[in-house]
Amino acid sequence: MPQFSLRRLFVSVTIIAVGFALISAKTRLSPLKFASPSIELILLLMLGASLVGAGIGNLFRRPMLGAIVGFALTDTGLIVASFFTQAT
């Protein structure tokens, strides 16, 4: 059973909140279509997911592993979404 210090918990919650803020800023700035997203919106999504992963990994003392997993999952999702979406 993991034991969290209060400091590590507060830092993780802050990192996760910043990550979700970046993801929500991405969804507010772009419409729900995948026709031609700009590079800034893609970077916001990838950075936000990496921060959420780092915050979750920080609880288990593995923030870099969490950031890599968050980045890889987002990158895979964007590749699959762009592959299966037809540009009209």
Side-chain angles (χ1 to χ4, degrees), residues 1-35:
M1 183 166 146
Q3 296 178 354
F4 305 130
S5 67
L6 195 58
R7 178 178 174 258
R8 186 171 295 276
L9 183 66
F10 284 152
V11 168
S12 295
V13 167
T14 304
I15 292 172
I16 291 171
V18 169
F20 278 130
L22 288 175
I23 292 172
S24 69
K26 183 261 176 211
T27 56
R28 288 183 182 202
L29 291 175
S30 70
L32 294 177
K33 61 181 179 179
F34 284 100

Side-chain angles (χ1 to χ4, degrees), residues 11-23 44-58 63 66-68 70-71 74:
V11 168
S12 295
V13 167
T14 304
I15 292 172
I16 291 171
V18 169
F20 278 130
L22 288 175
I23 292 172
L44 275 177
L45 179 65
M46 294 177 110
L47 182 63
S50 295
L51 284 174
V52 170
I56 293 171
N58 190 35
I68 291 170
F71 181 80
T74 307

Side-chain angles (χ1 to χ4, degrees), residues 69-86:
V69 168
F71 181 80
L73 287 176
T74 307
D75 193 29
T76 305
L78 285 173
I79 290 171
V80 169
S82 66
F83 182 72
F84 288 115
T85 304
Q86 296 178 3

